[in-house]
Amino acid sequence: MNQYLIMCRSLTYAQRAERVLARKGISAVIIKAPQCLLTNGCGYAISLHRELDRAVLILKNNKLLRGKIYKKEENGEYKEIVA
């Protein structure tokens, strides 16, 4: 199963994003971002396993997509996805 991480500006933005996605029927979880992905102090991400394209569209429409998006590879590394 694929895991996608959508980086968030802050915990508050992560909470807002999670709520917006939940209202649209997309299950997402707020997590502490892996240390290897932290570049600007942003320590939280939204984790989801499916419906990435729909989630990205919803977050863009609600002006909540500010961070990078990553997919966890089979070897455990994260690869950036351009949305």
Side-chain angles (χ1 to χ4, degrees):
M1 181 180 289
N2 293 328
Q3 179 187 17
Y4 302 100
L5 297 182
I6 301 173
M7 302 298 288
C8 298
R9 289 174 44 167
S10 65
L11 177 57
T12 302
Y13 273 85
Q15 292 168 331
R16 289 177 185 166
E18 181 189 37
R19 280 194 301 269
V20 166
L21 293 176
R23 278 189 242 128
K24 299 292 185 175
I26 298 175
S27 178
V29 177
I30 299 171
I31 64 166
K32 285 286 283 178
Q35 196 70 24
C36 62
L37 300 181
L38 297 179
T39 57
N40 61 358
C42 168
Y44 294 92
I46 297 293
S47 172
L48 57 142
H49 295 281
R50 56 183 163 273
E51 297 192 77
L52 176 67
D53 294 336
R54 185 168 165 242
V56 167
L57 181 62
I58 291 167
L59 294 177
K60 280 183 180 178
N61 289 341
N62 286 276
K63 298 182 173 124
L64 291 170
L65 186 66
R66 306 264 187 216
K68 294 180 178 183
I69 302 169
Y70 295 93
K71 177 181 178 185
K72 188 171 186 178
E73 299 290 322
E74 289 182 21
N75 63 5
E77 293 182 12
Y78 292 92
K79 179 180 178 184
E80 185 177 351
I81 297 174
V82 178

